[in-house]
Amino acid sequence: MDVLRFKQANCKNCYKCVRFCPVKSIRVYQGHAQIISSDCILCGNCVSVCPQHAKEDISDVAQIQELIASGQQVVVSVDSSYIAYFDTPGFAGIAEPLKKLGFDARVITPYHRCIKDKYASQVEHMFDFYVNLGWRTQYCGIERLELDGVCIYLVDSEFYFGGQAEGEQYAFFTRAVLDAIPNLGFKPDIVHCNDWHTAMLPMLAKTQYGGAMQSSLRWLLTIHNIAYQGKFGFDYVQDLLGVEDKYYTPEFMELNGCADFLKAGCVFADRINTVSPTYANEIKTAYFGEGLEGILDARSHELSGIINGIDTKVFNPYTDPALPTRYNKGRLNGKKLCKLALQRDFGLEQREDVPVFAMVTRMTEQKGFDLVERMLDELMQYNDMQFFMLGSGDKEYESFM
């Protein structure tokens, strides 16, 4: 499906869109630029840089609104890196555009202490109940928060969201979400699950809630990092969530002798997506798939990738109040001043001419930190450079830094 098209324009001697396209999906034919739809990633760069405003979107908004009004089921896919339209900043960057189209997009998340400390005065208590986890019975409160026009449901448990073991914590969250959904006052058509922490939702909904509202929902699972899968002993998971023995097989959730939450999600979710088309292809291979390549390859027709992006309204050096001096591409002197301030704050020699290397990352082998460990001393010894590191992770790499 085409999303962008070019209007007739005087492209000769310009072709700025060709130069700025990150994936080279624009070609020149008979003096005019054309989009190669099969390669386009919908980043919006060509729309932003065209001096003649010769690009326009092919909008299906009117048709979508008609479908919504008719009561027909509509499934929406939004690329958050498509910057040409829907540039709402902050938390509402995805939910607010969906709302403008007529969709009711809401969020449900644990009520962690850090959220409670900041927003406790703004939340509204909706209802509470008790969640059964094996022989345990724990209180669960559902709080409601409106933030940037988005409705957020907060699952409250002082016991579980105060530092308990992750497996039991997210087993509680999973069960709490499933039991809370019928009482929220609306029925979602699609539930979007993220990573292993919520990957058991579709499995439990389809195997334990037959005939109830939960079993009729559609489930989308997003894999942000396939290396983290939520692996636990099956007896432990069975005790917490009551999973039947027949599901502890390689066909469903068993992987390398463990009950694997992410694998269960990959098997039972209606659709799977991830952070880019490239990553979607990579995780279908043995090298990147971390043991899940088989199920992901088998479900290739239901696996897609959407380019990860940033909110350019929030991450904008020209408006960011945290910077000592602001700058943009037309006023780069402020960037030099920010560099000097960084050197000063960390007690390094203040020099404009020295290159500064910085990493903000999890300190794990998957992020290539083993290469940093091997090469950093040599780089620092033989090159005039400065290096900054911000992150946490494996103790081995934290100690090295």
Side-chain angles (χ1 to χ4, degrees):
M1 179 182 69
D2 291 338
V3 178
L4 295 173
R5 65 183 167 211
F6 286 179
K7 298 181 288 187
Q8 287 296 314
N10 182 19
C11 296
K12 189 175 181 180
N13 300 325
C14 175
Y15 304 129
K16 197 172 183 179
C17 57
V18 176
R19 299 196 304 274
F20 278 81
C21 179
V23 293
K24 307 306 177 189
S25 65
I26 299 175
R27 65 185 175 188
V28 178
Y29 179 72
Q30 295 183 347
H32 294 284
Q34 295 181 341
I35 294 175
I36 305 171
S37 299
S38 59
D39 296 337
C40 177
I41 62 172
L42 304 180
C43 66
N45 279 359
C46 60
V47 178
S48 302
V49 303
C50 179
Q52 301 180 72
H53 307 291
K55 288 80 177 171
E56 63 181 7
D57 70 314
I58 303 172
S59 177
D60 293 320
V61 171
Q63 296 95 309
I64 292 172
Q65 290 175 334
E66 287 179 12
L67 286 170
I68 295 171
S70 71
Q72 296 186 53
Q73 185 181 38
V74 180
V75 179
V76 64
S77 176
V78 176
D79 185 342
S80 61
S81 66
Y82 181 42
I83 63 171
Y85 295 89
F86 297 141
D87 55 355
T88 305
F91 185 81
I94 294 300
E96 188 62 23
L98 290 174
K99 192 175 180 180
K100 289 180 180 178
L101 290 174
F103 293 94
D104 188 354
R106 308 188 186 192
V107 177
I108 186 164
T109 188
Y111 197 12
H112 288 295
R113 170 55 60 185
C114 58
I115 302 175
K116 190 172 293 186
D117 290 344
K118 189 171 183 179
Y119 295 107
S121 62
Q122 301 178 44
V123 304
E124 169 196 354
H125 180 72
M126 292 185 65
F127 57 90
D128 52 72
F129 57 99
Y130 283 87
V131 172
N132 295 318
L133 289 181
W135 57 269
R136 312 157 189 74
T137 301
Q138 292 291 347
Y139 167 87
C140 176
I142 302 297
E143 317 296 322
R144 189 175 187 272
L145 172 66
E146 288 279 342
L147 189 64
D148 290 340
V150 180
C151 177
I152 307 168
Y153 299 107
L154 300 163
V155 177
D156 186 22
S157 170
E158 286 287 348
F159 181 81
Y160 281 113
F161 301 125
Q164 294 297 313
E166 278 194 323
E168 187 169 333
Q169 184 183 65
Y170 287 103
F172 170 85
F173 180 64
T174 296
R175 185 65 74 192
V177 169
L178 287 168
D179 289 349
I181 283 177
N183 302 301
L184 294 178
F186 90 115
K187 179 186 176 183
D189 293 310
I190 301 170
V191 182
H192 181 201
C193 309
N194 289 273
D195 281 334
W196 72 263
H197 311 82
T198 54
M200 288 292 289
L201 281 164
M203 177 181 181
L204 297 185
K206 293 180 178 183
T207 61
Q208 297 183 357
Y209 289 80
M213 175 201 289
Q214 297 90 328
S215 65
S216 66
L217 304 179
R218 305 287 284 176
W219 302 89
L220 167 66
L221 172 65
T222 295
I223 300 173
H224 297 271
N225 190 332
I226 202 168
Y228 300 93
Q229 299 182 10
K231 296 179 180 179
F232 306 96
F234 182 71
D235 289 344
Y236 178 67
V237 174
Q238 189 175 47
D239 173 50
L240 293 173
L241 295 172
V243 178
E244 295 181 62
D245 290 340
K246 65 181 180 180
Y247 295 114
Y248 185 55
T249 68
E251 182 183 1
F252 295 110
M253 68 180 305
E254 187 274 333
L255 182 66
N256 299 328
C258 296
D260 190 309
F261 279 26
L262 188 61
K263 180 173 182 178
C266 291
V267 171
F268 284 92
D270 297 289
R271 290 290 188 275
I272 307 166
N273 70 6
T274 188
V275 296
S276 75
T278 298
Y279 195 52
N281 286 324
E282 288 178 343
I283 60 178
K284 293 185 292 183
T285 67
Y287 188 80
F288 291 101
E290 300 286 344
L292 299 182
E293 60 273 6
I295 179 62
L296 293 172
D297 186 54
R299 299 197 63 187
S300 289
H301 60 295
E302 295 167 325
L303 169 65
S304 60
I306 299 176
I307 291 287
N308 225 339
I310 65 170
D311 189 326
T312 55
K313 293 290 185 179
V314 175
F315 298 97
N316 183 349
Y318 193 62
T319 59
D320 192 340
L323 295 180
T325 305
R326 300 176 192 180
Y327 61 92
N328 60 19
K329 62 183 179 181
R331 299 174 58 184
L332 289 176
N333 187 58
K335 187 174 183 180
K336 295 179 181 178
L337 297 176
C338 287
K339 175 180 176 178
L340 293 172
L342 182 68
Q343 292 169 328
R344 181 196 65 225
D345 291 347
F346 281 87
L348 296 176
E349 183 182 1
Q350 291 182 269
R351 291 170 49 195
E352 290 186 13
D353 63 317
V354 66
V356 171
F357 293 82
M359 288 185 69
V360 181
T361 183
R362 284 193 306 276
M363 301 169 72
T364 66
E365 184 175 349
Q366 189 193 32
K367 294 297 184 180
F369 216 85
D370 55 323
L371 303 178
V372 176
E373 185 180 34
R374 294 172 191 171
M375 297 300 299
L376 185 58
D377 287 343
E378 184 177 340
L379 287 172
M380 298 295 292
Q381 182 178 355
Y382 294 106
N383 295 276
D384 187 13
M385 59 176 283
Q386 294 175 345
F387 181 82
F388 294 88
M389 175 71 207
L390 175 63
S392 61
D394 295 347
K395 295 299 181 182
E396 170 192 352
Y397 299 132
E398 289 183 357
S399 301
F400 165 73
M401 294 304 297

